[in-house]
Amino acid sequence: MDFKDQIKQLGDRVIRLKDSIQTEEATKTALIMPFLNTLGYDVFNPFEVVPEFISDIGTKKGEKVDYAIMRDVNGQMEPCMLIECKHWKQSLTLHDNQLLRYFHVTKARFGILTNGITYRFYTDLQEPNKMDEKPFLEINMLDLRDNQIEELKKFSKPYFDVDTIISTASELKYTAEIKTLIQQEMATPSDYFVRHFAKQVYGGQLNAKMMEYFTNLVRKSFQHTFSDQITDRLKTALGQEELTASQPVPVETQPEEKKGPTVVTTPEELESFYIVRAILRNTIDANRIVHRDAQSYFAILLDDNNRKPICRLHLNGNKKAITLFDENKVEQRYEINSINDIFLHSDALIKALSAYEKPVVS
């Protein structure tokens, strides 16, 4: 099994076990130690993984960081990574913790702050021997991305090389921060951002009323642009699937013809499902959002649970519509011209989701 498959398998384990974990120690044992083991470190070898790593810091004696990963440097074992752990439900903060202080007095170049679900990787890009306040890499075990797994692989024992990681850490850090700013501008465009676009398409005065008007237009334009990109990719993928499906099937492998009414999930319904997933993926793990097709509607649910509907889509009749649910599960049906209009109901979809559980805050 290659590294990517091992990490994804560990992600499945996190999903399966997290709700039964009650303490920080259990978080370490059930989630964090298997993570270190997957990276290739022997968690039962005290020369390689040192639990409760102690180093006196000035007048502070006997302070401990949860784990130190040790490596042989010129015949001497030195810490290369320091790891501080929290309970899986606890939010991660660097405020007043040992990770910052230990970074100053050890030779470790990397600090990891984790609750077993989110792993934040820090180094000293801004000032030598002083750990940055912001991580250069963040891994969410509930939402694993292939490009992040490739970066994580560099921390595994067989591939660990300080110079290689540092050479890409700066790009990772600033790319992540720029992506966050873009997401913020998409959700709530700043005046500066709105003016940048409005001045290029509108020659009049941008008073308060016009700024409000263009703020709404910029937000919608973002939504429609990304919707079009998703649509184009789905059409390409579905076109390839249809091409494969159109290949002749040998007579002996032809399935027996079904009798009675059947439910056929259309490409448009699948496309609408991916749009809803895209809207909600920053609020909850996208894998928990599933669809079920029925004769009269196409349902999108949380955790594949009929009691947790997020919305229903009616796309096969003369008029398209979306049914939304408030916090009391009261239905409200709205006509839509196309599935792109689903983006106009983003706030209602997020509100429907919050009726079942609060968004995860890391």
Side-chain angles (χ1 to χ4, degrees):
M1 186 183 298
D2 65 15
F3 181 77
K4 182 191 293 185
D5 292 333
Q6 291 179 56
I7 288 294
K8 290 188 174 182
Q9 187 177 74
L10 182 60
D12 294 337
R13 172 190 173 92
V14 172
I15 294 171
R16 191 170 64 253
L17 296 182
K18 64 182 179 65
D19 290 324
S20 62
I21 297 173
Q22 304 301 320
T23 65
E24 183 177 304
E25 285 303 314
T27 299
K28 294 178 188 178
T29 303
L31 305 184
I32 298 170
M33 289 175 67
F35 177 84
L36 298 178
N37 187 62
T38 302
L39 290 181
Y41 300 103
D42 184 354
V43 295
F44 300 109
N45 181 352
F47 295 103
E48 186 165 280
V49 179
V50 181
E52 301 292 298
F53 182 73
I54 301 175
S55 178
D56 294 337
I57 306 174
T59 59
K60 292 182 177 290
K61 305 295 182 181
E63 283 202 273
K64 303 174 183 178
V65 70
D66 291 296
Y67 296 105
I69 306 297
M70 312 295 287
R71 288 184 71 84
D72 188 338
V73 180
N74 299 323
Q76 185 175 354
M77 298 302 288
E78 295 180 353
C80 62
M81 286 187 282
L82 303 176
I83 305 166
E84 183 166 330
C85 308
K86 307 288 185 184
H87 183 263
W88 75 270
K89 286 186 178 180
Q90 189 173 351
S91 61
L92 299 181
T93 173
L94 280 173
H95 177 67
D96 191 32
N97 65 42
Q98 294 94 319
L99 194 57
L100 282 168
R101 297 194 290 273
Y102 274 94
F103 200 86
H104 295 276
V105 297
T106 70
K107 294 183 179 181
R109 291 299 307 275
F110 304 104
I112 303 174
L113 182 61
T114 181
N115 56 11
I117 293 178
T118 300
Y119 289 81
R120 293 179 179 172
F121 293 77
Y122 299 83
T123 189
D124 55 352
L125 294 173
Q126 295 182 321
E127 190 174 336
N129 299 321
K130 182 178 180 181
M131 197 170 77
D132 299 336
E133 292 184 2
K134 295 182 179 180
F136 66 89
L137 176 64
E138 183 169 322
I139 305 290
N140 185 341
M141 297 300 292
L142 304 182
D143 186 19
L144 289 165
R145 313 290 177 89
D146 287 349
N147 63 318
Q148 293 176 333
I149 294 176
E150 286 302 311
E151 296 300 329
L152 180 61
K153 187 176 182 179
K154 296 175 184 177
F155 286 90
S156 64
K157 185 178 178 179
Y159 295 93
F160 186 87
D161 180 80
V162 172
D163 294 334
T164 300
I165 299 173
I166 292 294
S167 67
T168 58
S170 179
E171 180 180 340
L172 288 171
K173 178 177 184 291
Y174 295 120
T175 299
E177 292 182 14
I178 290 170
K179 285 172 63 178
T180 298
L181 291 173
I182 291 174
Q183 290 171 352
Q184 291 173 351
E185 292 289 3
M186 287 172 55
T188 311
S190 64
D191 287 351
Y192 176 84
F193 195 70
V194 172
R195 287 180 185 278
H196 172 74
F197 289 103
K199 285 182 178 180
Q200 298 182 61
V201 297
Y202 177 67
Q205 184 179 356
L206 290 173
N207 54 30
K209 183 176 181 181
M210 293 305 298
M211 280 295 294
E212 182 180 356
Y213 174 73
F214 275 106
T215 296
N216 188 44
L217 286 186
V218 168
R219 186 187 299 111
K220 285 185 177 181
S221 297
F222 259 126
Q223 294 172 346
H224 290 167
T225 298
F226 281 95
S227 171
D228 291 344
Q229 290 179 341
I230 292 171
T231 300
D232 290 342
R233 289 185 180 183
L234 285 171
K235 284 180 178 177
T236 300
L238 291 169
Q240 292 173 344
E241 288 182 4
E242 289 173 0
L243 181 63
T244 302
S246 66
Q247 299 298 320
V249 180
V251 173
E252 62 271 18
T253 63
Q254 290 275 8
E256 185 177 340
E257 185 177 353
K258 295 181 179 179
K259 298 179 180 180
T262 58
V263 176
V264 178
T265 301
T266 66
E268 187 177 40
E269 287 172 330
L270 281 177
E271 190 176 333
S272 68
F273 167 65
Y274 288 115
I275 288 174
V276 173
R277 257 188 148 186
I279 292 169
L280 298 177
R281 69 174 304 125
N282 289 329
T283 305
I284 199 167
D285 175 20
N287 291 324
R288 296 179 61 190
I289 302 167
V290 301
H291 65 78
R292 285 194 199 176
D293 206 351
Q295 289 286 348
S296 57
Y297 59 79
F298 181 77
I300 299 179
L301 314 169
L302 177 65
D303 296 331
D304 202 14
N305 188 338
N306 271 329
R307 297 183 179 180
K308 295 182 178 181
I310 297 172
C311 68
R312 291 174 182 166
L313 292 156
H314 313 269
L315 304 177
N316 297 329
N318 294 328
K319 292 184 178 181
K320 303 181 190 298
I322 181 171
T323 295
L324 299 167
F325 300 85
D326 64 15
E327 59 273 13
N328 298 315
K329 294 188 182 179
V330 175
E331 301 180 19
Q332 184 66 49
R333 181 166 170 152
Y334 300 90
E335 287 191 9
I336 56 175
N337 294 319
S338 72
I339 60 174
N340 288 333
D341 288 347
I342 295 172
F343 281 101
L344 303 179
H345 299 280
S346 297
D347 291 342
L349 290 167
I350 294 171
K351 187 175 181 181
L353 188 63
S354 66
Y356 306 121
E357 60 179 70
K358 298 296 181 183
V360 175
V361 179
S362 61

